[in-house]
Amino acid sequence: MTRTLAVRQDLTLAPDPRRVIVKLFVPGEDAALVRTRAQALIDRVAHLDDEETGRLLRDTFDRFGGRHRDLDSTFHHHYDLVRHRVARAWDLSPTTRLLVGAYFSHEYAIEAAALCNPSMVAHPDQADLEPGQLRVAVSLRQIGEGHLSSIGFATAVLGPGRRLTVADRSGPLVVGQRVGIRHRRDLLAAGLAENDCDNEVTATVLDALPERYDEATFERVLGNLPPDLLSRSTGLSTLEQLRRTNAASYATTFPADTGLHQRVLWPATPAESNGMEDARFVRFIDESGPVYRATYTAYEGRRIATRALASRDLRRFQITPMRGPGARNKGVALFPRTVGGRHLALCRSDGETIGLTRLDSENRWQAPVPLHTPPPQLGTGPGRQLRLPHRDRRRVAGAHPRRRPDAPVRHRRAPARPAPTGTGHRRASRRTPGTR
């Protein structure tokens, strides 16, 4: 008897436009002016009297405070980011500073465009369940305005039997707070090698760094580089590459009193500034115990890069780049445990071939072994037939976008050259009968 591996559920997770966060907003500039639009806005707020300032701020909290967590701190933070534009910051009252921060904030619906690509793992909290039930954590790709993706979560319960119940996802959302981590020298070395950045400066830095180091140690090593290395033509560009590569690893954490469905993993580095896409979670188990691991695609507007997530409790997440030929495209899926002591993953490094890659001792995912490849050719031989949507036919060699593949070829006669008339030229055209 064939065992049922999957059961289709009559359940849809729909995008919820009420799930919003508050982002920094700085107005753009139309031209080089005497003062910026941001400066003009701050000046107008600063000239409001106390009564009007208080009224506007109360109205803002009345309208938005119920759907955001600690809006007061958010406005304070946004004020701190723009206060360099305030002419006399010490003259502004606390209320005025909050109102300035509010004017430099905007609300963003993280699921305004779509909600898709879930993955599911056992939840770290299995308390208060009935026999035959399992609480699960569901990761989701949230796509907002401008096709900007982030990683969100939902909580659900499997069982008893084939039931799947998704918990309510309402409540104010929280974007993770970036925190410092202990960086790994081997990951820095792998990133530099992948970017062909190998010279005397990088070699000196790698020799001086310990296996694990923090930001202060990293900057101290850079600051102690000898002048004769920094004065080389590639010195400054190498320092920029070192800092960029090192910054790709970071950690983000959430308050302990937030629910899983309230936590939003939001882009925090330039490499993922246009989105964190398609997280695939597994509950990885080894001799140190269970840990949640995932891969996702970082997108910066033109290029993609594969990133790895790791978390013990789904509250603190550590993000690191994935290096090596096996991690050079989308679609990396980690194995939930080691096989023969090796870390393995499925991948699509060429975009279409499913391969098996392993992590080597230098933290590089090796060239994959092909497991499933596309057909060697797309032909029309015996027993072979290819059907494509009309819009895709033009992409097949020899196919005409407006003609059936089996239709006879009609060649259009070249138009006659326009003949000069008078002092100017008038374009003449001839249409061959039977052509369009």
Side-chain angles (χ1 to χ4, degrees):
M1 182 175 65
T2 304
R3 181 183 177 186
T4 301
L5 296 179
V7 177
R8 184 174 295 277
Q9 298 281 334
D10 187 18
L11 177 68
T12 301
L13 280 176
D16 187 350
R18 297 171 300 177
R19 289 174 58 83
V20 291
I21 62 173
V22 179
K23 294 174 56 183
L24 175 69
F25 171 76
V26 179
E29 306 300 331
D30 296 326
L33 305 174
V34 175
R35 62 175 182 171
T36 66
R37 295 171 63 190
Q39 180 69 62
L41 175 58
I42 292 174
D43 289 345
R44 293 188 182 99
V45 175
H47 281 88
L48 295 174
D49 59 46
D50 292 343
E51 182 179 352
E52 181 68 5
T53 300
R55 185 190 67 79
L56 289 172
L57 188 60
R58 286 193 302 272
D59 180 63
T60 302
F61 279 115
D62 289 343
R63 294 172 60 192
F64 298 97
R67 58 179 184 253
H68 296 286
R69 177 188 173 101
D70 199 7
L71 198 54
D72 185 282
S73 296
T74 301
F75 290 165
H76 268 299
H77 175 60
H78 289 175
Y79 168 77
D80 287 340
L81 296 178
V82 299
R83 67 180 175 182
H84 63 283
R85 299 183 183 275
V86 181
R88 296 174 60 87
W90 56 88
D91 288 340
L92 297 185
S93 67
T95 302
T96 302
R97 295 177 186 181
L98 278 178
L99 188 59
V100 169
Y103 269 102
F104 284 86
S105 304
H106 80 124
E107 202 172 54
Y108 183 86
I110 59 175
E111 300 173 5
L115 185 68
C116 55
N117 295 9
S119 71
M120 183 183 294
V121 289
H123 197 287
D125 178 15
Q126 296 295 324
D128 302 323
L129 294 176
E130 300 294 332
Q133 289 186 322
L134 175 72
R135 184 173 289 114
V136 294
V138 183
S139 71
L140 299 160
R141 178 180 176 183
Q142 306 164 141
I143 307 176
E145 181 183 357
H147 207 77
L148 180 58
S149 297
S150 59
I151 301 172
F153 300 94
T155 298
V157 174
L158 293 172
R162 296 180 175 182
R163 291 183 57 189
L164 172 61
T165 306
V166 179
D168 180 57
R169 300 172 65 227
S170 62
L173 303 181
V174 179
V175 174
Q177 180 70 36
R178 182 166 175 169
V179 294
I181 64 169
R182 301 281 291 177
H183 294 274
R184 291 169 48 178
R185 186 181 61 194
D186 57 352
L187 285 179
L188 177 62
L192 294 171
E194 194 164 277
N195 288 283
D196 296 324
C197 188
D198 180 14
N199 55 39
E200 289 74 15
V201 174
T202 59
T204 302
V205 170
L206 291 174
D207 285 344
L209 286 172
E211 290 186 4
R212 294 273 186 168
Y213 60 92
D214 57 18
E215 292 290 343
T217 302
F218 178 72
E219 289 299 329
R220 185 170 62 252
V221 169
L222 296 189
N224 291 335
L225 285 171
D228 50 346
L229 284 182
L230 294 178
S231 62
R232 295 171 65 89
S233 60
T234 59
L236 291 179
S237 61
T238 301
L239 287 181
E240 292 176 2
Q241 183 64 53
L242 279 162
R243 288 193 170 98
R244 189 182 308 116
T245 306
N246 190 66
S249 298
Y250 67 96
T252 186
T253 187
F254 296 88
D257 61 345
T258 56
L260 179 61
H261 66 282
Q262 296 175 280
R263 300 167 190 169
V264 177
L265 290 171
W266 188 258
T269 65
E272 59 194 27
S273 57
N274 274 57
M276 304 167 70
E277 305 176 354
D278 307 334
R280 293 175 172 87
F281 275 81
V282 295
R283 187 171 180 266
F284 186 88
I285 299 176
D286 61 10
E287 61 278 359
S288 63
V291 59
Y292 295 95
R293 292 185 177 176
T295 64
Y296 71 90
T297 300
Y299 180 51
E300 52 89 70
R302 293 189 301 170
R303 293 178 292 271
I304 61 172
T306 305
R307 294 289 185 262
L309 278 168
S311 176
R312 291 283 181 185
D313 54 7
L314 297 182
R315 189 171 75 84
R316 187 185 190 277
F317 297 83
Q318 183 160 325
I319 291 89
T320 54
M322 296 182 70
R323 305 296 187 185
R328 287 181 180 165
N329 211 322
K330 296 184 176 185
V332 177
L334 301 172
F335 278 39
R337 61 186 62 86
T338 58
V339 178
R342 298 178 298 175
H343 292 264
L344 303 178
L346 297 177
C347 65
R348 290 185 292 118
S349 58
D350 65 354
E352 58 181 9
T353 301
I354 298 176
L356 180 68
T357 180
R358 65 176 179 86
L359 188 66
D360 66 14
S361 58
E362 297 179 348
N363 270 289
R364 291 172 54 85
W365 291 92
Q366 292 301 292
V369 177
L371 299 179
H372 183 72
T373 60
Q377 61 180 350
L378 296 176
T380 56
R384 301 175 65 89
Q385 188 173 10
L386 174 66
R387 294 182 181 275
L388 294 174
H390 176 77
R391 64 179 180 275
D392 290 333
R393 288 177 185 160
R394 70 191 67 189
R395 301 174 188 170
V396 180
H400 190 281
R402 296 183 179 178
R403 185 178 65 244
R404 300 192 320 274
D406 58 344
V409 178
R410 293 192 178 99
H411 294 283
R412 182 176 295 182
R413 184 180 302 171
R417 289 180 175 272
T421 58
T423 58
H425 292 277
R426 179 168 56 88
R427 182 174 297 276
S429 63
R430 293 179 57 191
R431 181 170 296 173
T432 304
T435 63
R436 298 174 63 184

